[in-house]
Structure formats: C-alpha cells, structure tokens
Amino acid sequence: MSRWYRWYALAIVLSCSWALWRGWWITPVERLTGVPKSVRDNPGSYRSHYSGYHRYFGGK
Amino acid sequence: MGEAMSCPKCRAPLEEVKIADGVVVRTCTACSGVLYEAGDIAVPLKLSGPRPARFDWPRCRRPMETTTSYEGQLEVDRCLPCAVLWFDAGEIMILRKLSGVENIAGKRESEAGEEVPPAAAGYVRPKQIKDPVPTEMVGVRNPDYENAPTVELDGRVYRHFQTSVPVTTFVLGEFPWIAKVGDTARMRDFIAPPFLLSQEVTAVESVWSAGEYLEPEEVWAAFALPGSPPYKTGVAPAQPNPWDAHLPSVWKSFWLAAAVCLGAYVLVLAISSQENVYQGAFEVAAADLERSRVGDIFEVKGRTSNLEFTVDTNLDGSWAYVSMALIDADTDKALDFGREVSYYHGVDDGEAWSEGSRYETFYVPSVPPGRYYLRVEPETDAPSQLNVRVIVRRDVPLKRLPLIALALLVVPALWAGMRHGAFENTRWMESDHPRTSSGDDEEDDE
C-alpha cells in the first residue's frame, strides 16, 4: 500500500504541476480545424457548434 | 436454581455451572465468586461467629452473615433463610486445601442453619504471590480507554484486553498440574501486538505468561504439516495490524505530496503573467440577433496556458447565451465554447431577491501562443439592446487544481486509515473495551 501510494502521490503531484503550468482543465472546449479564412470578412459564413441553443424557461 | 440472580458482591449476573454429582453452582461473571446451595457442600464447614455483613443477598435483600471456618482461615458469607453460601474467588481452593478434600461439592444436609460457636480466629485472606515481573502502571492513561490498566515489561506497554473467570467444568487429558472440576482462576490478558501477557490469579498464586503471535504459516512450517493452514478468520488479540506498517508511511507521503502541490501552485501563481490580452464590446440589438460579430485580432504570447474569459452584460430580468469561437488568425483552427448569463431580480412580499449574475467568468484550457480573434453569436430574450463586454486574460492558475489534487491524495490515505481502524475495531470487539459500544458498556471490570 505505502509503495503504491508513493507512486500514486507522485503521479498526482506531477499531473497537478503540469496542469498548473500548461493551464489544463477539464472544461469541454471543442477544438476545430478547417475554419474558413473568410470568417473575419464574413462572420456569418461559419456557425458555431453551439448556435441554436435553446434555454429552459422553467425558472422564475 | 434456575432463576436469574446477581452477585451479592458486585451485582454482576450469576452464571449457572453444572459440576460434579449433579451439583449446580452459580459463578459471578465478573468477580468469579461462587454461590453454593448450603446442601451442595460435601465437607463440613463448621461455621462460626457471625461478623458484620459485608453485603446483602440480592434475592431476599437480607444482609448476608459473614462467618469463618477452619479456625478463621476461611471466610464464608451465607444467607440462612435462603440456605446459600457465598465464596469469594479463590476461597474454594482454600477450602479444598484446608479440608483435604478435592471434591468439595456433593449433596448433604444443609448446615447453613446450624448453630455455630462464637467467632474464632480472624479471617485469613488468600495468599497472593507478589507479581515478580510486570509492574502495574497505576494511573497511566490508556490511549483508548482511560480506565483500562496497562502493564509494562521490558519497556513495552501492554494494554488491558480482557479479564475473564473461567471455571473448569470438564477435564480430559494430561496436565502438569492437578486439574479439577470447579477450579477457577481470574485471567487477565494484556496486549502489545504481536506480544501478549496473560495473568492467571488463583487463591494461592499469580502466574504471568508471555506470548507472541505467530502467523499460521509459521506454525504450519514449524510442525512440517502437509498442505496449507486454514484461512484466517477474525482478528486474534495479539495479531499485528497489517496497516500499522503502511499508515505512517502513507500519511507521510500525503503531507509531502500535499506540500509539493501547494508549493507548485504558489510558484506558478508567482511567475504567471495573468495579463489582459483582449477587451472588446459587442452591441446586440433586439432586431439583429442572428448576426455574428468578430472582434479585433489580439496576440497571446508566452507558453501554452489557459485563458480566462469574463463575459459582462447589461442583462436585467432576462438571459443570454453567448456562443463564442476563438479563431486562430493564421491557421484554420478554432476553439468553440459558450456560456449562459442570466440575471433576474424583484421583490416578493416586501423582500428583495435576485438570481444569477450579469457576468460570468470561465476558463478555456491550454491555448497555444498565437494571433486570435473572437467571433461572438449571442442569443437572448432581452427586450432591449444587449451589450456584451468580453475580457480575456491569459495564464491564470486555477486554485481548484491543487484542491482537487489534495482530495485525490487524501482519499487513499483515509481509506487506509479506515481499514486500520476496522481491523482494530474487530480486535477490540472481543475485548472488555469494544470501540463501538455505548458508554455503559465501556466500564472496566478491573
């Protein structure tokens, strides 16, 4: 147990340090390729994956 | 007999024990005294001189007469109306010795009510041999139960485990001593796993024995037994806790790793730039929701790091979903994400309330250096113009990361601690000091 835990703790420490240094987080961000160059001139030519969001209106 | 009785001396329950010639006696489960029906003693006692009663007989609530026998060498308590005799622990052994009769139990006419001569010589307490080796550590605090005694031997402290009063009810085999039905002793076990000390107190002596726990495999190998030993069940009093060897090391590793994680966070926090790389405003008219908007190109320098986005709005009693794409100006790559912002407030029954917030902060992880611009597509039910202000900072260390690391580190350590505790609970469950009992059960019978 103690030997296993030493390796486990080392892995956690290294992962934490790496994540802090590289700004890693588990937030789901979609990484896309093939975005047309014309987006800047014609923003409507490229639609976000998230467009068409429909909100729940059950609140106040 | 048959009815439930309690000890006249200590009020503990009396236990029926069937001994020779069909005689049934009752022994105290705590102080090991023995109650005989007066007619069940086969040897004449010739009781003399009632002395002041030491205690009442719980069955009839009358004081028990304290009498002496064999010229005062034996003290016997009796209740004349109930015709019972009470012997303290060890007094039966004295009676055997004085009478020269080994089997003192047997049916005869009761003499509990006999007229007896005046008091003779004084009472002689059973001879006790002074403990030659362990020293009672009176007043030393037991780590688990303050009232439990401890003994020390060779610098090792043994904790009290159990006190019992076994009574010999059946003898079979050969013994290096004379074993008889009715023999009783007060057994006290002390443990310092894997070591065990046992004290056996009788009327005439006190014997200490030292032992050491052996694994079944060692016993199997020592006697060259075939096959393998049976599977271990339960926990023996002196069985070493297998987690003893791991727990200190695990917690040491935990504190070390926790310190490194926090140190890494402080270090990254100290050297992180946390610089503003972009600030832009987008105005969304109610009639112009469908249009996408792009911001100016901005540069993200340095190493790959996260970006902190703050979306600030003028929402009031409405919501907005801000869909964004962080587009690399020099390649065909983009990061797609979005956040909802909502803010409602009002007054109900004279009490002000609010829900949500006009701004939202979130993080986009691991963004490599480069030139980027934002494309924004807000959706909203706001009746008037929606103003969205976006602020982007790079290299902002997340404090939740070391906290998560600490949580991941502490879980196995706590688990090991729980296993260690469960083992000890199982061990002490069979003792006089169970760890899971109520306070009423934790009384020490020492």
Side-chain angles (χ1 to χ4, degrees):
Chain A
M1 169 71 184
S2 50
R3 192 175 178 185
W4 170 88
Y5 185 78
R6 272 199 292 273
W7 287 108
Y8 172 78
L10 181 65
I12 295 289
V13 166
L14 291 177
S15 302
C16 176
S17 304
W18 177 85
L20 283 168
W21 182 249
R22 299 282 291 183
W24 180 87
W25 183 240
I26 54 174
T27 310
V29 174
E30 194 166 356
R31 294 176 187 271
L32 305 170
T33 57
V35 177
K37 290 278 187 185
S38 59
V39 171
R40 189 156 174 71
D41 303 322
N42 182 12
S45 66
Y46 166 66
R47 279 284 170 187
S48 165
H49 172 77
Y50 295 99
S51 60
Y53 173 78
H54 298 289
R55 188 178 185 276
Y56 173 64
F57 285 91
K60 284 185 177 179
Chain B
M1 299 208 176
E3 64 182 298
M5 296 182 193
S6 55
C7 173
K9 193 175 176 184
C10 68
R11 299 300 192 244
L14 293 179
E15 196 174 73
E16 279 191 5
V17 178
K18 192 173 182 179
I19 56 176
D21 299 332
V23 173
V24 176
V25 299
R26 288 178 179 267
T27 63
C28 176
T29 54
C31 70
S32 76
V34 188
L35 181 79
Y36 275 78
E37 297 283 352
D40 288 344
I41 295 287
V43 295
L45 290 175
K46 298 173 184 170
L47 299 173
S48 62
R51 296 163 60 185
R54 297 192 298 155
F55 34 68
D56 295 339
W57 170 226
R59 188 162 65 176
C60 67
R61 297 181 182 174
R62 291 192 185 93
M64 293 191 89
E65 282 186 6
T66 301
T67 60
T68 55
S69 182
Y70 291 95
E71 297 178 344
Q73 295 182 71
L74 177 67
E75 189 175 68
V76 181
D77 303 283
R78 68 178 177 180
C79 177
L80 286 170
C82 300
V84 292
L85 300 167
W86 175 260
F87 296 87
D88 288 343
E91 287 178 341
I92 292 294
M93 298 283 284
I94 296 174
L95 177 58
R96 282 199 188 103
K97 197 172 179 180
L98 294 173
S99 65
V101 178
E102 288 301 327
N103 189 6
I104 57 135
K107 297 291 182 185
R108 67 184 289 271
E109 289 302 314
S110 169
E111 65 174 346
E114 290 174 356
E115 288 296 321
V116 291
Y123 171 66
V124 177
R125 284 282 174 196
K127 184 183 176 187
Q128 295 276 351
I129 293 176
K130 189 176 172 63
D131 301 342
V133 184
T135 309
E136 289 277 359
M137 296 169 63
V138 178
V140 174
R141 184 183 177 279
N142 186 300
D144 292 319
Y145 300 99
E146 290 186 12
N147 296 326
T150 56
V151 294
E152 186 178 0
L153 177 64
D154 295 336
R156 188 179 293 122
V157 176
Y158 292 75
R159 289 188 290 170
H160 175 256
F161 187 79
Q162 192 176 43
T163 296
S164 58
V165 186
V167 177
T168 305
T169 58
F170 190 79
V171 178
L172 179 67
E174 295 182 10
F175 296 86
W177 68 91
I178 301 171
K180 303 176 193 70
V181 169
D183 281 356
T184 185
R186 183 165 172 258
M187 301 289 299
R188 302 168 76 208
D189 292 326
F190 296 83
I191 60 167
F195 302 103
L196 171 80
L197 276 182
S198 291
Q199 183 192 28
E200 183 180 334
V201 181
T202 64
V204 293
E205 62 182 357
S206 170
V207 178
W208 286 89
S209 310
E212 182 176 354
Y213 176 86
L214 292 177
E215 289 294 336
E217 291 76 15
E218 295 176 77
V219 179
W220 225 248
F223 289 94
L225 296 172
S228 55
Y231 183 72
K232 283 193 290 190
T233 56
V235 176
Q239 185 175 343
N241 191 327
W243 294 93
D244 274 344
H246 299 290
L247 211 53
S249 170
V250 164
W251 279 108
K252 189 178 170 186
S253 301
F254 166 78
W255 290 116
L256 184 65
V260 173
C261 280
L262 292 176
Y265 173 70
V266 171
L267 180 67
V268 173
L269 192 65
I271 63 175
S272 61
S273 63
Q274 303 185 47
E275 63 175 323
N276 268 14
V277 294
Y278 175 75
Q279 182 167 327
F282 303 89
E283 294 177 352
V284 183
D288 194 20
L289 278 176
E290 291 296 316
R291 191 165 63 84
S292 295
R293 294 143 179 93
V294 293
D296 296 332
I297 292 177
F298 58 92
E299 188 165 7
V300 175
K301 297 176 183 173
R303 66 180 193 283
T304 296
S305 63
N306 63 358
L307 293 183
E308 179 196 74
F309 281 74
T310 302
V311 176
D312 194 7
T313 67
N314 64 338
L315 289 171
D316 190 6
S318 55
W319 62 271
Y321 183 84
V322 184
S323 174
M324 287 185 276
L326 181 67
I327 302 171
D328 192 323
D330 300 319
T331 68
D332 63 346
K333 293 179 180 172
L335 298 171
D336 240 9
F337 46 88
R339 274 294 184 284
E340 180 189 309
V341 186
S342 64
Y343 180 65
Y344 297 90
H345 63 92
V347 177
D348 276 349
D349 298 329
E351 203 168 314
W353 60 269
S354 67
E355 183 180 294
S357 170
R358 287 194 172 97
Y359 68 91
E360 183 84 16
T361 299
F362 58 95
Y363 297 87
V364 174
S366 303
V367 177
R371 296 191 318 128
Y372 295 92
Y373 62 91
L374 271 179
R375 195 234 34 234
V376 178
E377 283 179 20
E379 293 179 49
T380 182
D381 67 346
S384 56
Q385 176 175 296
L386 172 66
N387 296 329
V388 179
R389 194 162 65 100
V390 180
I391 302 167
V392 182
R393 289 199 305 161
R394 73 166 288 273
D395 195 13
V396 183
L398 298 177
K399 62 183 171 192
R400 65 188 83 158
L401 271 169
L403 293 178
I404 290 173
L406 288 181
L408 290 172
L409 286 169
V410 81
V411 166
L414 288 177
W415 180 78
M418 287 171 65
R419 294 295 303 271
H420 180 275
F423 190 94
E424 290 301 322
N425 284 346
T426 308
R427 179 206 307 284
W428 289 97
M429 198 183 296
E430 300 299 324
S431 77
D432 290 344
H433 316 284
R435 293 181 160 193
T436 52
S437 69
S438 66
D440 294 338
D441 297 335
E442 290 177 1
E443 291 174 5
D444 186 27
D445 58 3
E446 287 302 301

